[in-house]
């Protein structure tokens, strides 16, 4: 199940969107809950996820759950570290104000996960906190030069530890994904897909994920759901792309829904 809403403000639109999904049913009894924004570097939104969007998600969770809340990311730009990006983009202040935790996924404790449907990676190294938590992926909508688009699934590359997925593959900390982008995204989300996705399409990057023109006019939409493929397929349409031509959106490999089923939402 997924749904969308016209964007007014994060304070107004995020709770309305999540209430429409009855997301409180999932947040109740969960702990910890990890919010995974897209903070590939220290560029301001809409290249990165606005801290105001995550703040609105935190407020919604707090309204229905006593769960420990963590914002977690592992940046990709080689000369930056995630803690610096947290500082520059307002997430350190958010953590202090809202009494939540920040985790750098580039240095977090790892577990080794066998891939049930390997294409490139037969095993994946994934931070334990990501495997052991209810995971909310919060990307910003962007065209992407290698993946076709950035959405909830592409956003998962941020969880990959540079120790295993950079080095000889290139200067970027997740460069091992770049050569076979569609297949490696599928490998990753076969091992761990988001439990809930909220795609910030309030603006949108029209041509490139690290710069260039924004969508004109702004897309003006938020999309959310328990099925990350359906969320991203709608996001592709908002960019004028055909999801059937984007490899990692074609196959729901290893996916099983975590949210309430349709019959529970009547």
């Amino acid at each position: 199940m997924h749904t969308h809403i016209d964007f007014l403000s994060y304070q107004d639109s995020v709770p309305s969107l999540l209430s429409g999904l009855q997301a409180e049913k999932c947040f109740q009894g969960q702990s910890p809950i990890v919010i995974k924004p897209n903070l590939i570097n220290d560029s301001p939104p809409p290249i990165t996820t606005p801290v105001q969007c995550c703040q609105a998600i935190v407020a919604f969770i707090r309204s229905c759950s006593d769960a420990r809340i963590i914002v977690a990311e592992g940046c990709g730009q080689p000369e930056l570290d995630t803690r610096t990006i947290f500082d520059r983009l307002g997430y350190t202040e958010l953590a202090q104000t809202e009494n939540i935790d920040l985790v750098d996924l580039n240095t977090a404790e790892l577990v080794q996960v066998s891939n049930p449907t390997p294409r490139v990676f037969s095993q994946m190294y994934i931070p334990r906190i990501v495997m052991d938590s209810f995971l909310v992926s919060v990307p910003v909508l962007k065209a992407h030069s290698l993946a076709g688009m950035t959405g909830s699934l592409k956003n998962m590359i941020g969880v990959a530890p540079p120790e295993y997925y950079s080095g000889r593959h290139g200067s970027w900390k997740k460069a091992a994904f770049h050569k076979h982008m569609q297949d490696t995204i599928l490998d990753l989300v076969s091992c761990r897909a988001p439990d809930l996705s909220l795609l910030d399409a309030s603006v949108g990057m029209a041509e490139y994920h690290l710069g260039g023109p924004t969508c004109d006019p702004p897309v003006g939409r938020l999309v959310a759901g328990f099925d990350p493929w359906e969320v991203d397929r709608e996001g592709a349409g908002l960019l004028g792309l055909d999801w059937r031509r984007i490899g990692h959106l074609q196959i729901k490999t290893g996916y099983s829904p975590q949210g309430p089923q349709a019959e529970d939402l009547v």
Side-chain angles (χ1 to χ4, degrees):
M1 177 184 177
H2 78 288
T3 188
H4 60 255
I5 193 170
D6 290 339
F7 176 76
L8 299 176
S9 70
Y10 295 110
Q11 184 177 7
D12 293 330
S13 301
V14 167
S16 296
L17 182 65
L18 294 175
S19 293
L21 283 173
Q22 297 188 23
E24 60 271 18
K25 291 186 176 182
C26 287
F27 291 139
Q28 291 168 357
Q30 298 285 351
S31 190
I33 296 171
V34 166
I35 299 171
K36 168 38 179 102
N38 184 336
L39 306 179
I40 185 171
N41 60 20
D42 63 348
S43 296
I47 292 173
T48 54
T49 304
V51 68
Q52 295 87 351
C53 183
C54 289
Q55 185 174 24
I57 296 171
V58 169
F60 184 88
I61 295 171
R62 286 267 169 79
S63 73
C64 59
S65 172
D66 294 326
R68 176 191 176 200
I69 301 173
I70 301 163
V71 171
E73 174 63 303
C75 75
Q77 190 161 327
E79 67 272 18
L80 289 174
D81 64 83
T82 307
R83 291 287 175 178
T84 298
I85 292 173
F86 283 151
D87 289 346
R88 293 178 180 176
L89 296 181
Y91 284 85
T92 301
E93 182 179 355
L94 172 69
Q96 294 168 349
T97 302
E98 300 294 342
N99 192 28
I100 61 175
D101 297 320
L102 296 177
V103 170
D104 179 358
L105 296 177
N106 286 343
T107 59
E109 179 187 359
L110 303 175
V111 294
Q112 191 173 2
V113 182
S114 295
N115 184 358
T117 55
R119 290 166 171 77
V120 177
F121 301 126
S122 60
Q123 300 180 44
M124 300 292 301
Y125 292 91
I126 299 175
R128 181 180 297 278
I129 190 66
V130 171
M131 298 302 298
D132 292 347
S133 304
F134 186 88
L135 180 61
V136 185
S137 179
V138 191
V140 279
L141 180 66
K142 302 186 285 185
H144 194 280
S145 56
L146 297 175
M149 67 162 287
T150 288
S152 184
L153 297 172
K154 167 66 175 62
N155 188 40
M156 289 297 292
I157 291 179
V159 313
E163 178 182 359
Y164 293 96
Y165 299 105
S166 61
R168 68 183 184 278
H169 305 286
S171 61
W172 281 77
K173 293 179 179 179
K174 324 288 178 168
F177 288 86
H178 292 175
K179 185 175 181 180
H180 304 285
M181 180 69 83
Q182 305 297 335
D183 286 338
T184 50
I185 292 173
L186 284 170
D187 280 346
L188 177 56
V189 298
S190 292
C191 296
R192 186 61 168 111
D195 299 310
L196 175 65
S197 302
L198 194 157
L199 174 62
D200 181 358
S202 57
V203 180
M205 297 299 297
E207 298 178 4
Y208 182 50
H209 57 289
L210 294 178
T214 58
C215 293
D216 185 17
V219 176
R221 193 77 60 88
L222 302 180
V223 185
F226 300 106
D227 183 333
W229 277 266
E230 293 303 322
V231 170
D232 286 0
R233 288 171 179 177
E234 180 167 341
L238 294 174
L239 286 174
L241 303 174
D242 182 354
W243 65 262
R244 296 168 187 83
R245 296 180 177 272
I246 300 174
H248 73 273
L249 298 185
Q250 297 172 7
I251 305 169
K252 295 185 180 182
T253 177
Y255 170 71
S256 75
Q258 299 295 315
Q261 303 303 298
E263 59 269 20
D264 297 327
L265 297 173
V266 176

